[in-house]
Amino acid sequence: QVQLVESGGGLVQAGGSLRLSCAASGRTFSPYAMGWFRQAPGKEREFVGRITWSVGNTDYADSVKGRFTISKDNAKNTMYLQMNSLNAEDTAVYTCAARASGFSSRLRSDSRYDYWGQGTQVTVSS
């Protein structure tokens, strides 16, 4: 089994930055891809971005493109989400997810992921 644990959330002023981490533990960890999703109060969970684990290809939602960056450290089994120029609309619970194996062209869909973290709250004050 794989466990994912997020950290780094908190309260930040609009225009500020935060870096989230997602650390994986458990059996030998070599996923096909990992992703970040977020859910704001009263809204559905939405895709933020993802990275393929071996090659490092990234994809981002239009709402965060140019402001957020996903990176990884394979040796530490950790994925990061660097968030810059934060605004109130970025307030949400951010959750990381991992797709165990197998190519998928639909990595923006949460149904493509096998493991999920518990989430970390990000609050942006305006």
Side-chain angles (χ1 to χ4, degrees):
Q1 192 63 276
V2 173
Q3 292 82 41
L4 304 178
V5 178
E6 302 95 338
S7 61
L11 175 64
V12 62
Q13 289 188 334
S17 299
L18 278 177
R19 189 176 83 152
L20 306 184
S21 299
C22 174
S25 62
R27 62 179 177 88
T28 302
F29 187 70
S30 183
Y32 173 73
M34 293 188 71
W36 287 100
F37 291 80
R38 67 185 182 184
Q39 187 168 20
K43 295 186 177 181
E44 294 186 354
R45 182 162 59 190
E46 66 173 353
F47 169 80
V48 174
R50 60 82 177 159
I51 187 167
T52 57
W53 201 248
S54 60
V55 179
N57 288 332
T58 55
D59 179 37
Y60 300 95
D62 288 345
S63 59
V64 306
K65 197 172 296 182
R67 300 188 298 122
F68 290 12
T69 302
I70 295 176
S71 62
K72 61 184 177 67
D73 185 331
N74 291 47
K76 295 181 179 180
N77 287 343
T78 300
M79 174 180 64
Y80 304 97
L81 179 65
Q82 178 66 44
M83 304 185 293
N84 299 327
S85 302
L86 286 161
N87 56 61
E89 288 69 41
D90 296 316
T91 294
V93 174
Y94 285 71
T95 306
C96 66
R99 177 175 174 82
S101 62
F103 171 80
S104 174
S105 62
R106 296 184 59 194
L107 289 175
R108 292 190 173 201
S109 171
D110 57 7
S111 67
R112 300 298 173 177
Y113 295 83
D114 306 294
Y115 304 102
W116 292 84
Q118 82 289 349
T120 185
Q121 176 70 46
V122 172
T123 302
V124 184
S125 62
S126 56

